[in-house]
Amino acid sequence: MRVPANLGHPVARTERFRRTAGEIEVLLAAAEQLVFDGGAKLDADDPAYTPEQALGARVLADRHGVRAVELAVRLLGNPGLSRGNPLERHFRDIQCAPVHAPQEDISLLAIGTKALNP
């Protein structure tokens, strides 16, 4: 745990770190819920779970993951971008999530088309 000399206690005890950690936890929990709930509905052959809902879950999970890692890197600062820090790898890896097909623009087009043409 990092303890800056001028602070006198671990940075994780500061309000800023605790609040940001809370936001990261909420984002990741929501992403996990979306993915696992959708997977359970697909496994159960739930006819009410539409392809558009699956696409929407993917878009939101990607956005939440990217935002969570972005917050963590910003919180840590330059050390978060150092090759020796595991967070740097997470930061690089999460950038790939929105790139894989179907990409967000195509997903949103399909969702919007279905919404306007039920």
Side-chain angles (χ1 to χ4, degrees), residues 42 47-57 107 110-111 114:
L42 288 172
Y49 192 65
T50 67
E52 292 78 23
Q53 288 174 311
L55 289 171
S107 297
I111 293 165
K114 177 70 173 183

Side-chain angles (χ1 to χ4, degrees), residues 61-71 91 94-98:
D62 285 352
R63 287 179 181 179
H64 287 350
V66 168
R67 180 68 179 143
V69 176
E70 177 185 274
L71 285 169
F91 184 72
I94 198 66
Q95 302 308 312
C96 296

Side-chain angles (χ1 to χ4, degrees):
M1 190 64 54
R2 194 168 148 245
V3 181
N6 64 339
L7 189 58
H9 59 80
V11 292
R13 287 185 26 204
T14 65
E15 184 178 317
R16 178 174 174 246
F17 266 67
R18 290 182 292 143
R19 182 177 45 251
T20 303
E23 185 171 352
I24 290 168
E25 285 297 313
V26 166
L27 288 166
L28 294 178
E32 183 177 337
Q33 188 77 38
L34 286 165
V35 171
F36 284 119
D37 282 358
K41 289 176 182 179
L42 288 172
D43 287 345
D45 290 324
D46 182 348
Y49 192 65
T50 67
E52 292 78 23
Q53 288 174 311
L55 289 171
R58 157 84 190 282
V59 167
L60 288 175
D62 285 352
R63 287 179 181 179
H64 287 350
V66 168
R67 180 68 179 143
V69 176
E70 177 185 274
L71 285 169
V73 169
R74 284 185 184 203
L75 188 63
L76 195 56
N78 285 337
L81 296 174
S82 170
R83 282 268 187 192
N85 190 317
L87 186 55
E88 185 269 344
R89 178 63 184 225
H90 292 305
F91 184 72
R92 282 187 296 129
D93 287 350
I94 198 66
Q95 302 308 312
C96 296
V99 174
H100 292 291
Q103 293 177 345
E104 186 173 309
D105 60 336
I106 299 301
S107 297
L108 294 174
L109 179 62
I111 293 165
T113 299
K114 177 70 173 183
L116 295 174
N117 300 310

